Every structure is written in C-alpha cells, then in structure tokens.
Amino acid sequence: MPELDDTDKAILAELLRETIERDRFPLSPRNKSFKAILAKLDPPTPRPEQYPPPKPPGQPSMVLAKKRPAMSRQGETGTCGPLHR
C-alpha cells in the first residue's frame, strides 16, 4: 500500500476536523475513532508549560526568604536582644 504524502495527510486531517465539528453526537464511538485518527495524522502542538500552583498562605516564597536578613543569636552581636535603657 502506498504511503500518503503530506498534502494527502493535510486533506484527510481537514476532512476529519470538519466531520468531527459537524457531528451531532460529539461523544459517539465514531467521533472518538475520528479523533484518534486525526491525532495520528496531525498531532496537536505541545502546550506551553504552566506555572506551578501558588503556595498556601503563611509560607514565604523562596524569594522573600532570601531577602530577609538572617537572625543572629543574642550575645554574638548584641543587636537582636531587647533594648536596655
């Protein structure tokens, strides 16, 4: 059986897209078969990576954690303890 060239594949892919779009029953087995064939003929373009979900409240982000000055122990520098007057 001869192989299909790119033009033939594009024509078949467009025909499948139109058939899938006009079908009254989008979840029918026939439509699912058409979608599987279309995915083989013309695979969808990869989606860009999504950002990770936001952190729950109360947890600082790594950026904020790095910007905060490190707490030194009282007695090492004498600046972190209670003020004496």
Side-chain angles (χ1 to χ4, degrees), residues 63-77:
V63 174
L64 291 177
K66 289 180 181 179
K67 286 186 178 182
R68 292 182 182 158
M71 300 283 291
S72 63
R73 287 184 240 155
Q74 184 180 3
E76 285 183 12
T77 60

Side-chain angles (χ1 to χ4, degrees), residues 39-62:
K40 291 177 186 176
L41 284 175
D42 189 23
T45 56
R47 299 175 75 188
E49 291 187 31
Q50 296 180 351
Y51 293 111
K55 294 189 181 247
Q59 290 182 334
S61 69
M62 291 301 292

Side-chain angles (χ1 to χ4, degrees), residues 11-31:
I11 292 169
L12 285 173
E14 184 60 30
L15 178 65
L16 284 171
R17 278 190 204 92
E18 290 174 3
T19 305
I20 291 168
E21 185 179 317
R22 291 185 179 141
D23 198 334
R24 290 178 23 180
F25 304 102
L27 300 177
S28 69
R30 173 182 174 224
N31 226 7

